[in-house]
Amino acid sequence: MASSMNSLETIQKKIDAVKLFLSVSLSIANAHTVDFYTCDVWDQFMAVPPVEVLTEITLNGDHKRAPEHYLNHGNAKKITFGFCDDSKRLVDVAEFLEAAYAHSLPGLGVCVGRTELLQSLRHTDNAQPLEEVPGAVVESDEFMNSKKSHEVQAMSEVVASLAQRCRVKQVIDVGSGKGYLCSFLSLRYGLQVYGIDSSSVNTHGAQERNRKLKKYSRAYQRHSKANRTPTVVPPSGQEDLEDIAPEDNSLPELDQSDPASAPEEPFLSALCVGMVEPTSPRVPPSELSLEERERRKRENLDRKARSWVNSGGMGSGMLYSPLTSYVTAETELKEIIGELEDAVMVGLHTCGDLAPSTLRMFVAKRELLSVCSVGCCYHLLSEEFDPTRQGHYMARGERKECPSSSVCGFPLSGYLREQSWFCGRNARMSACLALERVSKGQGIQMESLFYRAVLHVILRDHYSSFKSEKRVGNVYSKATSFVDYVWRALRRLELDGSKLSDGVIQGYHDTYRPRMVEMEAFNMLKVTLAPCIEGLILLDRLCYLKEQEDVAFSTLVQLFDPLLSPRCYGVVGVKAPGTELS
């Protein structure tokens, strides 16, 4: 398979190529949208009109330039990836766009497809078809939205194949959330799944959801045996499925009802629904009281005991155990899972540092034989070498103490750590964007970004405290006009409104409104860079696995359709001494 050619040296060369491109272009991703007008961001980075940028982005993919076009353009100016070497400003949009694609994961050619991975996992002399629970009927689209159904079905087959390849029956799902993947793995494939989540609300909800799914599955099987037609009559008790259906829409969105939960950078909050992945709160053990830790431990033990007694043991089909715990690379899994055996570790859209921690656990724990990790929320990663952090980093609007360098989320590999590479917070926020969705017209809500940037001009001109630690939050959704938006923002910031009038505020809007196209074009360039930044983060994780002597196989795999699930790439690793995957 293609990934067999991706040795550690090959991945390091790919990383070097992406780094070179980002060393020239990353400043665009790190530019703060709030400062767009106060810092004159467009003139600082761009030497072309915004209309040209938008036109080239529209044409990108429909034309290719001749190779000789890139040979100094017949003048004395040297251009690298579309940027002038002297001024550092963008002068050739088409060259930049083609370079951006070439340094994304699809352009680098380092990923395998899900089908190719499955074929490789099953390629053995005595390969057997993937085992499913006899008579199991679990239709994921019956109890979850289309996005989650797509993710669960695609990932569960890979996880079950990893378990079969490694000859294990246990799966540990880190950051299991509502337990959809866990339930599907246990009901469809008969795997013993432990879902670990730091939120007790998620754990209780997952346990109740799994109970109803089992009830539905059994009723479905009874009905199917009685009526062998493809038309399914809802079984008795299906009214419980209303509680199983997710509360969210078919596409996720950030929780913006609470200002504390809104992202600092309004670029994220201005995106259309589904442009970024949602986050889930996780409380580090250091912030838990001793009583809370003991309560969670007792709760886990009681839950497992009740599950075992009520089900009559594992033979009765009680194969999913939701557990409440905050886990890191140093967590002793045997203290959480008393019946721990050799297992597969998985994580479906694990937020921030939890994704790299999952890979660290896989490497450190002898009983973990394989891993499949899909991360998200790159803006929540802690960076070891970010010079601006000064001992802290921002997470969900709060200042957090930085972890020790050995457990920072990025970089993970020794290769990038030796080079002290960092991306920067705004660049990581840009990595959360979904280029494929923007390309299909699910674009950016520019007006809210424009409002926030012009507000910053007003704060600069009339208030000395425009760098206030307080944040405006999502007042845009409640505002009826720009004037209303400014008044609401001033109240949120607790600033004196007597310095302004409706006419003055409207004057700022009218002055900057013709320049809104600059912001639109600039943010489209940010979106174009997103796959390159995400690619570097994921290549770093793959490089980390390839640096480990006892990891026999590792690869990046595209698990999901990026239109349905923008964070579509998984990191897969197998510890199989003496076994090589073809």
Side-chain angles (χ1 to χ4, degrees), residues 13 19 26 37 52 55 59 66 74-75 78 130 149 200 215 281 284 322 338 361 363 440 442 458 470 483 522 547:
K13 289 181 179 179
K19 279 177 48 196
L26 195 63
Y37 297 121
E52 181 178 331
T55 300
L59 294 175
N75 56 48
K78 291 185 177 180
L130 190 60
S149 173
S200 59
K215 178 180 178 181
M361 277 189 280
V363 169
K440 296 297 182 181
Q442 300 178 32
I458 294 175
K470 296 179 182 178
V483 173
F522 194 83
E547 290 172 345

Side-chain angles (χ1 to χ4, degrees), residues 12 385 411 413-421 547:
Q12 289 173 342
F385 302 106
S413 68
Y415 186 68
L416 272 182
R417 291 187 68 199
E418 288 174 358
Q419 301 174 58
S420 302
W421 180 264
E547 290 172 345

